[in-house]
Amino acid sequence: MKNVFIETSRVMAFREAAGVVKDTVKGQPGFMVAWGYAGRGKTECAKEYAVRTKEAVYVRVFQSWTPRAMLATVCSEINGMNPARVDHAKRVIIEELERTPKILLIDEADRLVPGNIEHLRDIHDETGTPIVLIGEPSLYGRLTAKRRIWERVTRVVEFGPVTDEDVVYFGMKACDLKIMPDAAGELVRRSKGSFRLLYHLMVETERKTRANKLKEVSLDLVESIPDRRVAPTPEKDGNR
Amino acid sequence: MSNITEMIRNFAAANTTIRKKQVRESLGLTTKQVDAAVDNLVEQGYLKRIGYGAYLFNDYVQKTGPDINDKIWKAMKVSNGSFSVSEIVRLAESTASYVYKRFRMYRADDYIKNAGTRKTHGSGWEKLYRLTKKGKEKSNNPNLEVFTPDPLIMAAVNLNRLICSGLAVRDPDAAKQALGFIEEIKNGLEDGATS
């Protein structure tokens, strides 16, 4: 299987929304949110955007980050400095962003505690830097809990489940396989809309087609792939 | 870069802070020549204005490198932890052969190191790499250029400082240092005359 990036409709929507918030003038709200359940391609999309956009800074949130840890990481990504104090880190970030405007991509933002989101708001208000928060839908609750933060969110992109078209396109680009529409539907159902699960299903599909010297993926072939992620069988009284 | 701009860059590198008037008088240039050259150097990041007619030399200048190399560095930076060539190719929109070529150079310069292998589905195994500490620092400023002025110029400026401050006359060590600079300048000029 080739290592490819599939440009889905969500990826296009993300780029378009990021392009809009990037052009926001200082003083205007410029928060953007990209949410979706695990395995929907949010992180890959953010990384791809960060690499292809010169001004983009990508930061991944770690569990239990303190304000200092977060601001020092942002600072280190922007200019390589690692300030020891929150106030110093914030001042350096603000100075640097005023000199060279950038766009901040904060991945796994659902792990941010409300205090850290407030620090990001300060940076946004002081510099006009657009901030893109990427995370799972639980992020919604954290953002709407404070009206002053939610009012700054101007764009929301939802990374929904994988569609039949995505599966067909992925099969063609990554495995050089033609996937029949009914087989694509079955793959979507079994992957539960997750790209991560779809990838593993496609690995098995590719292996089977290669073994059988096939170029097309039919519904029968997909149905013949066993479910590898079965739930534990509940024990009955008779089994004891 | 024109000769005048290069001359002023060397002069600024040797003196650290300069004034336009001082440049005009020391290098025998006109006001227009100095203004144009200083504007160019400010634009390129070599000089920073610190006051009216006063400028500070900046020896670390961030240059714009080839776009693709910047993308490769950024792709390595955002791939937290280890990464493979195919991942960098996908993120940086490059070709595998070019990324392999860059990786060979980065490994030789100790910017990246091996981080094991990973099984790929269908095509065997692929090597994984990781940024070293030096590489992480480099990834923040991949195109940093350090400017070092001509040694002959440095010798002349240092000699000038020792003579004008009177140190060369008062202090025997400074006098020896000044003689060393004279020797360096003499050798440099003789080499220039013979070549």
Side-chain angles (χ1 to χ4, degrees), chain A residues 166-185:
Chain A
D166 295 337
V167 175
V168 172
Y169 191 51
F170 183 50
M172 211 151 37
K173 271 193 97 176
C175 319
D176 295 326
L177 286 174
K178 191 179 171 190
I179 300 175
M180 294 288 119
D182 48 356

Side-chain angles (χ1 to χ4, degrees), chain A residues 6 8-10 40 160-170 179 181 183-189 191-195 198:
Chain A
I6 307 293
T8 62
S9 54
R10 276 89 65 196
R40 298 280 163 90
V162 174
T163 61
D164 292 11
E165 293 85 58
D166 295 337
V167 175
V168 172
Y169 191 51
F170 183 50
I179 300 175
E186 178 63 11
L187 284 167
V188 168
R189 193 189 65 76
S191 65
K192 296 184 177 70
S194 161
F195 248 116
L198 175 71

Side-chain angles (χ1 to χ4, degrees), chain A residues 62-96:
Chain A
F62 286 109
Q63 188 66 40
S64 309
W65 252 8
T66 59
R68 194 212 77 89
M70 183 189 80
L71 293 171
T73 309
V74 172
C75 200
S76 157
E77 291 294 326
I78 291 173
N79 71 351
M81 272 177 73
N82 187 15
R85 285 180 293 114
V86 170
D87 179 56
H88 184 210
K90 206 190 264 182
R91 278 180 201 285
V92 172
I93 292 169
I94 289 170
E95 271 175 28
E96 196 65 36

Side-chain angles (χ1 to χ4, degrees), chain A residues 1 3-5 44 47-48 50-58 60 76-80 199-200 203 206-207 210, chain B residues 64-65 67 70-72 74-80 84 86-87 90-93 118 120-123 126 140-141:
Chain A
M1 188 182 286
N3 197 340
V4 290
F5 184 78
E44 286 305 310
K47 280 183 180 176
E48 188 257 6
V51 171
R52 295 179 193 185
T53 313
K54 225 168 191 176
E55 313 87 60
V57 175
Y58 173 87
R60 185 187 185 275
S76 157
E77 291 294 326
I78 291 173
N79 71 351
Y199 179 84
H200 290 285
V203 168
E206 191 190 22
R207 205 177 286 161
R210 199 178 293 165
Chain B
T64 335
D67 203 28
D70 284 355
K71 281 186 178 177
I72 290 174
K74 207 162 183 191
M76 292 195 293
K77 196 176 165 187
V78 301
S79 306
N80 303 311
S84 67
S86 65
E87 276 171 8
R90 174 168 59 77
L91 284 171
E93 297 175 294
R118 175 171 60 193
T120 57
H121 300 291
S123 57
E126 64 180 357
N140 287 325
N141 296 303

Side-chain angles (χ1 to χ4, degrees), chain B residues 161-192:
Chain B
R161 269 191 203 133
L162 290 172
I163 302 284
C164 295
S165 62
L167 260 176
V169 182
R170 290 198 305 270
D171 183 13
D173 288 342
K176 270 185 201 164
Q177 222 178 345
L179 286 171
F181 287 135
I182 292 169
E183 193 65 24
E184 205 177 314
I185 294 166
K186 192 183 159 205
N187 292 339
L189 292 176
E190 277 171 1
D191 288 350

